[in-house]
């Protein structure tokens, strides 16, 4: 009698009894590890653990049980083999899809292939795989299947010729890469940012909605990629003043406002030219087309305030209802205690002061200049920023009731950029008036000196903190 360990069924049974739990345990740990790391491959490992491996074990046992007859002739074995073959096909195709396309890096050819081509390839491979399974398991004649697939593909291709054209055009666009997501295009008068590219069309956000442009239209016509202009993007706009405004003053104002825009490309110089009559054109460069809208919005906002401070008639409007004698007199009465003014002194000061307004983000005063006036903040908030290399370090804030330009009394240059954080209203008191007041009120000189010392200390503290931070990073 043959020992049981030499029986044909023994080693296959040992493989299933011992190998199956071990393999399932390893696959479970592998799946858990991938799932914790957020890797999509954990789904494929789950399919292998829950379906493919157990079915392989069942197939091994089933062939051993039916060993008395030809296992290939047993219907149950054929059904199990068919299901197992189908699961293996799904396992292989899904694994390849995740490794090649789902986890593809941005910008690679795999990430740019339209999903429809991946789906079509998957369907064709499944059909071929099933044909192979039926050939091996059921001894089926699969020649007819391949013939049907060929004829069907030809018929479908002819029927969908008009629909396939945009797909092919889209494929060429994806591989040629004349633009990418986020680029700005000017195509046939439509101008906007590319937000989606698929197998059929390109979606362009024009600001007034999403323009759906077929790939065939883009492939058969010329368009301009505004995002590939060598690092800068030109912006121009026209504005009007009055014919009584001096052109030189208007041009200087336009150039100054454009030069201070945060969107302006570093190292470039804005230009402004008269267009004849009351029209002027101003041009400057920004970092890209995406900043054009924001730059123009800020430019027009700041220009409105700056034109009124300069007494120029932007858009032909020379009126300013904000600057009135009543509002000016009330502002003088507000700052009178700070300047130690009596009633008569306050009345005498009214004709020499003026009201100014600044938009949020505007620079009230820049470092390196000697101020010619004290500016008392009536409303809003001003931040003092210290220039340091390519940075602007916040040093302190000036709120309503305080003032800037205190070094006008000592004729020292300003050390900080004085930037309006909100809309700011100031009362401008010329330095000549301050000198006169100080002669009769020495206490005012002491107060201004204390403010100067405090602001100098704020600047030193900001610089010291930043230098210490850089040293800590370097070490």
């Amino acid at each position: 009698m043959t020992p049981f360990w030499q029986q044909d069924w023994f080693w296959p049974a040992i493989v299933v009894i011992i190998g199956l739990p071990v393999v399932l345990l390893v696959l479970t740990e592998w799946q858990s590890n991938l799932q914790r790391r957020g890797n999509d491959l954990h789904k494929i490992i789950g399919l292998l653990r829950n379906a493919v491996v157990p079915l392989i074990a069942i197939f091994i046992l089933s062939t051993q049980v039916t060993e008395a007859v030809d296992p290939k002739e047993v219907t149950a074995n054929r059904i199990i083999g068919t299901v197992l073959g189908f699961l293996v096909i799904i396992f292989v195709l899904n694994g390849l899809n995740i490794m090649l396309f789902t986890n593809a890096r941005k910008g690679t050819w795999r990430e740019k292939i339209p999903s429809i081509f991946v789906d079509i390839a998957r369907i064709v491979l499944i059909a071929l795989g099933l044909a192979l399974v039926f050939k091996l398991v059921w001894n089926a004649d699969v020649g007819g299947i391949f013939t049907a697939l060929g004829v069907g593909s030809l018929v479908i291709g002819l029927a969908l010729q008009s629909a396939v054209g945009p797909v092919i055009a889209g494929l060429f666009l994806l591989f040629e890469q004349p633009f990418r997501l986020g680029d700005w295009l000017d195509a046939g008068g439509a101008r906007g940012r590319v937000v989606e590219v698929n197998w059929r069309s390109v979606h362009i956000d024009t600001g007034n909605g999403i323009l759906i442009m077929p790939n065939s239209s883009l492939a058969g016509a010329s368009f301009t990629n505004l995002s590939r202009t060598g690092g800068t993007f030109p912006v121009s706009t026209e504005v009007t003043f009055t014919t009584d405004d001096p052109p030189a003053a208007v041009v200087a104002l336009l150039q100054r406002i454009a030069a201070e825009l945060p969107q302006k490309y570093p190292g470039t110089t804005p230009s402004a030219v008269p267009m004849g009559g009351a029209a002027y054109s101003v041009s400057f460069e920004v970092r890209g087309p995406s900043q054009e809208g924001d730059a123009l919005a800020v430019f027009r906002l700041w220009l409105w305030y700056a034109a009124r401070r300069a007494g120029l008639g932007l858009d032909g409007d020379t009126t300013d209802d904000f600057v009135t004698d009543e509002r000016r007199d009330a502002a003088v009465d507000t700052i009178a205690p700070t300047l130690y003014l009596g009633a008569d002194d306050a009345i005498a000061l009214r004709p020499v002061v003026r009201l100014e307004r600044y938009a949020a983000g505007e620079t009230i005063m820049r470092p390196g200049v000697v101020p010619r006036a004290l500016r008392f903040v009536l409303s809003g908030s001003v931040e003092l920023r210290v220039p340091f290399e390519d940075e602007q370090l916040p040093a302190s804030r000036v709120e309503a009731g305080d003032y800037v330009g205190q070094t006008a009394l000592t004729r020292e240059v300003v050390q900080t950029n004085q930037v309006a954080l909100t809309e700011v209203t100031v009362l401008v008191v010329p330095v000549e008036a301050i000198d006169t007041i100080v002669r009769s009120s020495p206490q005012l000189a002491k107060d201004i000196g204390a403010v100067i010392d405090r602001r100098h200390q704020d600047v030193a503290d900001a610089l010291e903190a930043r230098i210490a931070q850089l040293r800590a990073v370097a070490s």
Side-chain angles (χ1 to χ4, degrees):
M1 181 177 179
T2 304
F4 68 91
W5 60 83
Q6 294 182 0
Q7 298 287 337
D8 294 337
W9 56 266
F10 178 77
W11 290 112
I14 292 297
V15 169
V16 172
I17 295 172
I18 298 177
L20 179 61
V22 173
V23 172
L24 293 179
L25 179 62
V26 172
L27 292 177
T28 300
E29 291 298 325
W30 190 8
Q31 181 185 14
S32 300
N33 186 33
L34 293 174
Q35 193 168 8
R36 284 194 301 269
R37 292 187 296 172
N39 194 322
D40 290 333
L41 281 175
H42 77 88
K43 301 176 183 178
I44 304 304
I45 301 304
L47 175 64
L48 182 64
R49 171 188 175 275
N50 299 326
V52 176
V53 171
L55 200 58
I56 291 176
I58 293 174
F59 184 74
I60 292 174
L61 295 178
S62 177
T63 56
Q64 293 302 312
V65 171
T66 58
E67 186 181 6
V69 296
D70 187 357
K72 295 183 179 180
E73 300 298 329
V74 178
T75 303
N77 291 346
R78 289 183 172 183
I79 294 175
I80 296 173
T82 303
V83 175
L84 177 60
F86 179 74
L87 290 178
V88 170
I89 293 171
I90 297 299
F91 169 76
V92 172
L93 292 181
N94 286 344
L96 291 175
N97 180 59
I98 290 177
M99 288 187 294
L100 292 179
F101 302 109
T102 303
N103 295 332
R105 295 181 180 179
K106 289 187 177 181
T108 62
W109 64 271
R110 294 177 297 168
E111 190 261 344
K112 294 180 179 297
I113 290 183
S115 59
I116 186 173
F117 291 103
V118 178
D119 295 336
I120 292 175
R122 184 186 294 115
I123 293 174
V124 172
L125 291 177
I126 289 176
L128 295 177
L130 287 177
L132 182 62
V133 169
F134 277 97
K135 174 65 176 177
L136 296 177
V137 177
W138 299 91
N139 294 320
D141 182 11
V142 296
I145 296 179
F146 289 103
T147 302
L149 284 176
V151 175
S153 299
L154 180 61
V155 173
I156 293 174
L158 293 176
L160 299 180
Q161 183 176 3
S162 60
V164 172
V167 175
I168 301 301
L171 184 61
F172 287 154
L173 284 175
L174 289 173
F175 280 101
E176 186 182 355
Q177 297 185 17
F179 55 82
R180 298 179 181 178
L181 289 179
D183 283 358
W184 286 69
L185 301 183
D186 188 350
R191 187 176 184 178
R193 182 172 60 90
V194 177
V195 295
E196 182 181 347
V197 180
N198 56 41
W199 58 273
R200 177 184 174 276
S201 61
V202 175
H203 296 198
I204 302 176
D205 185 359
T206 63
N208 297 319
I210 303 297
L211 174 65
I212 311 298
M213 182 166 289
N215 290 329
S216 56
S217 299
L218 278 177
S222 60
F223 57 89
T224 303
N225 189 336
L226 301 175
S227 297
R228 299 186 182 181
T229 57
T232 64
F233 181 77
V235 178
S236 62
T237 186
E238 292 187 6
V239 294
T240 58
F241 286 80
T242 68
T243 54
D244 293 332
D245 293 324
V250 174
V251 168
L253 177 67
L254 294 174
Q255 289 177 333
R256 180 176 63 81
I257 296 299
E260 295 176 354
L261 293 174
Q263 296 86 0
K264 184 185 75 71
Y265 194 86
T268 59
T269 302
S271 64
V273 293
M275 302 293 291
Y280 294 81
S281 175
V282 58
S283 303
F284 53 90
E285 295 179 274
V286 296
R287 298 179 184 275
S290 61
Q291 296 189 344
E292 178 184 16
D294 292 340
L296 288 176
V298 174
F299 175 78
R300 295 188 179 106
L301 174 67
W302 289 4
L303 182 60
W304 188 91
Y305 286 88
R308 276 156 175 75
R309 292 196 304 270
L312 301 175
L314 178 64
D315 296 328
D317 184 8
T318 58
T319 62
D320 189 353
D321 296 335
F322 179 81
V323 179
T324 62
D325 292 342
E326 293 77 10
R327 188 173 281 111
R328 179 203 63 191
D329 296 345
V332 171
D333 294 339
T334 299
I335 68 168
T338 304
L339 296 178
Y340 301 98
L341 298 179
D344 294 338
D345 296 330
I347 294 174
L349 184 63
R350 290 173 182 175
V352 300
V353 300
R354 68 179 185 275
L355 289 170
E356 289 182 347
R357 282 188 296 176
Y358 293 84
E362 273 197 280
T363 300
I364 298 174
M365 193 169 297
R366 295 160 194 78
V369 299
V370 178
R372 297 298 303 164
L374 256 67
R375 285 175 167 81
F376 289 83
V377 179
L378 303 177
S379 64
S381 179
V382 178
E383 185 173 65
L384 306 183
R385 300 174 181 173
V386 185
F388 179 75
E389 296 181 354
D390 295 332
E391 300 179 82
Q392 295 287 326
L393 307 178
S396 60
R397 288 191 180 185
V398 178
E399 307 291 347
D402 204 347
Y403 51 85
V404 295
Q406 64 280 350
T407 57
L409 185 63
T410 58
R411 306 309 192 263
E412 298 178 61
V413 297
V414 177
Q415 292 184 311
T416 59
N417 271 308
Q418 302 169 4
V419 181
L421 296 179
T422 61
E423 183 186 79
V424 173
T425 303
V426 300
L427 183 68
V428 182
V429 182
V431 65
E432 294 79 10
I434 295 298
D435 288 339
T436 302
I437 297 171
V438 166
R439 293 191 191 99
S440 60
S441 178
Q443 184 59 41
L444 177 60
K446 293 181 180 180
D447 293 346
I448 294 177
V451 172
I452 293 175
D453 293 339
R454 186 175 72 249
R455 301 272 170 82
H456 284 170
Q457 187 60 47
D458 292 338
V459 170
D461 291 343
L463 292 173
E464 183 179 353
R466 182 55 177 154
I467 292 173
Q469 183 181 11
L470 291 176
R471 287 175 178 173
V473 172
S475 60

